Amino acid sequence: MDIQKNLTPLSAERIKNADKSGFSQGNIIVLDETESTNSIAKALAAEGASHGTVVTAESQTMGRGRLGRRFESPKGAGLYMSVIVRPSFDIAFAPLITSAAAVSAAESVEKLCGEYTAVKWVNDLYMNSRKICGILTEAAINSKGSLDYAVIGIGINVGRTEFPSELRDIASSIEAETGNIIDRNILCGEILGRLEYYLENIEEKRHISEYRRREMLTGNHITANTGGREVEGYAIGINENANLLLKLSDGSEMVLASGEANLCRIRRKMDE
Ligand code: BTN
């Protein structure tokens, strides 16, 4: 499906110019079509590609999401980018990479289109209660047990205005929500600049206050799947490690480090 309309084509030169931080050092690969930019980035990283290398594509034929899901990536309709990072920080901070990427993407989207952009724990961005972006971080550990590299894959629906009926109520795009057609090259550059800053300062957890401010499950009844277990509770907040804090019906508290959570709509209705 070719639904490219008015979007400026992706260009390594334009992304480089928009990346004021110089994070990518000009190591930017723009592909027309690929299976998955994360797969390409992982292969490049395994061959020694440097910190900050970026892979983007106009379309992905097998875009990957979390939990083995597919990430639909039609041509010219979104920003599909993967960034190779070779962090110097201790592996203990690795779980914070995705939340730093979520804040970087949310701030960048909001800056360019002017619309409030929420984060849903752990790594989705929402606009007006619909998902506009997902993030998939894949890491490789070396023989010494430290982080060799991580690939941060970010998929943002930018100009996509047609969604299959089963996604129409839950997914959207920047253009569908705001009417704004933004330049994906500039968006990519903005994200890179913030990503570099938040990763450089990950030990100080500088992104966490912004993550908390934008997180949309907090203060709601939710259901969560964590470690194959379904739990239900009240989301009371996000801790210093970007974990979700849940209060269960028996009064006990639970700390969720990973998993998937959603608003519990039935319970919310009863509370209204
Ligand atoms: C999710 O919503 O579960 C995460 C989606 C991540 C999609 C991005 S698009 C760029 C990169 N390449 C992939 O195959 N996946 C990520």
Side-chain angles (χ1 to χ4, degrees), residues 14-62:
R14 288 201 188 98
I15 294 172
K16 187 178 164 202
N17 290 339
D19 172 21
K20 305 290 182 227
S21 70
F23 183 29
S24 67
Q25 294 186 46
N27 295 317
I28 300 163
I29 296 160
V30 174
L31 302 167
D32 185 38
E33 180 175 284
T34 187
E35 281 194 3
S36 155
T37 55
N38 261 33
S39 301
I40 301 283
K42 279 166 71 179
L44 290 171
E47 286 166 14
S50 58
H51 180 67
T53 299
V54 182
V55 182
T56 62
E58 289 286 359
S59 70
Q60 299 182 116
T61 53
M62 288 179 60

Side-chain angles (χ1 to χ4, degrees), residues 74-147:
K75 186 170 173 66
L79 174 62
Y80 318 121
M81 62 183 279
S82 299
V83 187
I84 298 171
V85 293
R86 294 188 183 279
S88 50
F89 51 75
D90 190 275
I91 195 164
F93 294 96
L96 287 166
I97 293 175
T98 299
S99 51
V103 172
S104 303
E107 288 182 337
S108 302
V109 167
E110 190 169 316
K111 178 182 172 189
L112 296 184
C113 74
E115 186 76 30
Y116 176 70
T117 306
V119 175
K120 180 168 86 69
W121 183 88
V122 53
N123 61 352
D124 292 334
L125 301 192
Y126 274 66
M127 207 176 261
N128 303 323
S129 306
R130 289 192 174 86
K131 177 171 168 172
I132 58 147
C133 165
I135 299 172
L136 173 68
T137 303
E138 299 180 284
I141 315 287
N142 64 26
S143 55
K144 291 182 202 134
S146 53
L147 196 60

